[in-house]
Structure formats: structure tokens, C-alpha cells
Amino acid sequence: WLAGGQAGDVIALSPTRRLFVGSESNAKGATGGHAEVYESGAVVWASHVTETNYNDAHLASAVTRSDANEVIAVGWLNQAAPLAQGATVTLPSAATSDAAWVVRLDGTTGQVSKTMVWPGGGLNAVVEAGKDSFVAVGWKMSDTPSEAQNAWVISFDRAGKVMWQATTGGVGTDSFTDLVAAPMGGWYAVGVDGSATGTSGGLLSYIDANGKV
């Protein structure tokens, strides 16, 4: 199912069950988000997800809720025109993303129950932060001309209500690519610290429970 698309993440649901998220292309060259659950090598369910007014989509990461049989997947969207059939597909990226994307899927059937779109960024990773609470990281386009994009962290609930969000970065292109829970509470996020000259370095940040970076 990854023909023309890209793998995003794999999550172990049990010793024999795995959840895969990513993207796949259609006959017109556009990409859509894709999620599949496998049990002992057999497909349990598969879901191809698109968003109205966006031609390309990718699911980069997902998490299963501990209090309900539901999958929360995150990624990004863009509005680039679809390519001609047979052309090489260029996936959305930090340079072309138009919106961050959250998709809720039923954990038993894969049916999409809700999607959420936040313009001007993209999401790379998500973790469960508590009952009906999630924290995701990625990038957000900056309002400052010299700062192409900043690393972004956002907390939200399953209805899409934003609890808090924050950005960090300087001149150039910065983004968070992953996060893990910190032993003292909060999270550690890692990513890329890009400069205006095209060079880049590693980025490591601590984010407290209130979203302060």
C-alpha cells in the first residue's frame, strides 16, 4: 500500500498485532494518509484518509488511547496540484506543508470519526499525555520573515480543543521530530535547528506540563 507514498510509523498493539501509518498515492499522483492494522501478518482493517481542499496528505505518527479503543494519528497536508499519472510523487514536507493534521480512527474498524486541521504547520509525532489529552510536535510557519519555520509543540483533546501550544527557534528552519515523556514530568523533544545559511544542527528541548519550552 506504500506505492508512491511513504512509511510513517509502526506501533505494537500486542505481541502479534501492529498498526502502520503513512501515505500512499492514487492514480492521479496525489497522496493520501493511510493506516492499517495487521494481526499475525493478515490485514485486520485498512483506512485511506483524505481531506477536502488538500491534494496531498501524510500520517507520520499515531498513538492508541489507553481509555478507549481509538487511534489518534497526526501528520500534515498540502495543496500542491496533483501530478500527472505516472509522474514521481513528491511528499509534503516542512517546505511545502499547508496544515497540520489530526485523524481519529476507530481501533476496531479503522473508520474515521473525526479529522482536525490547523493551518500553517505540520506534525511529526504524538503521545498520550493523560485521559483525553495528547501532545504532538512538529513545525509551524513563522510570522517573522527571517524565521522560515519554528519547532512547535501542541496539546489538544480528542475533540480538537487546543489546551496550549508553544514554538521555539530562531533564524532559519527549525522543527521537532519526536518526543518522549520526561521522568520528572513534561517531555523531551528532539529535532532540527536549521540556520539561514543552510546548515543545521540537533535540537533538544524540555517542555514542562504547562507547555513552557
Side-chain angles (χ1 to χ4, degrees), residues 70-153:
E70 187 174 53
V71 174
I72 306 295
V74 302
W76 58 81
L77 304 160
N78 80 14
Q79 296 172 320
L83 300 174
Q85 186 171 358
T88 301
V89 175
T90 301
L91 288 173
S93 66
T96 60
S97 173
D98 289 313
W101 196 32
V102 179
V103 179
R104 281 173 42 199
L105 305 103
D106 184 283
T108 300
T109 65
Q111 182 175 352
V112 176
S113 58
K114 185 178 179 66
T115 64
M116 293 158 266
V117 177
W118 294 310
L123 295 170
N124 285 321
V126 61
V127 295
E128 187 177 33
K131 185 176 181 180
D132 193 22
S133 176
F134 308 90
V135 173
V137 295
W139 66 88
K140 193 170 182 65
M141 305 312 293
S142 175
D143 294 328
T144 304
S146 62
E147 300 176 7
Q149 68 180 40
N150 290 320
W152 180 37
V153 56

Side-chain angles (χ1 to χ4, degrees), residues 94-95 121-122 124 137-142 146-153 167-177 190-196 199-203 205:
N124 285 321
V137 295
W139 66 88
K140 193 170 182 65
M141 305 312 293
S142 175
S146 62
E147 300 176 7
Q149 68 180 40
N150 290 320
W152 180 37
V153 56
T167 59
T168 185
V171 176
T173 302
D174 307 307
S175 66
F176 286 134
T177 56
V190 296
V192 178
D193 180 7
S195 72
T199 60
S200 62
L203 176 63
S205 296

Side-chain angles (χ1 to χ4, degrees), residues 188-213:
Y188 288 116
V190 296
V192 178
D193 180 7
S195 72
T197 61
T199 60
S200 62
L203 176 63
L204 171 64
S205 296
Y206 171 70
I207 303 156
D208 71 18
N210 297 313
K212 183 179 179 180
V213 181

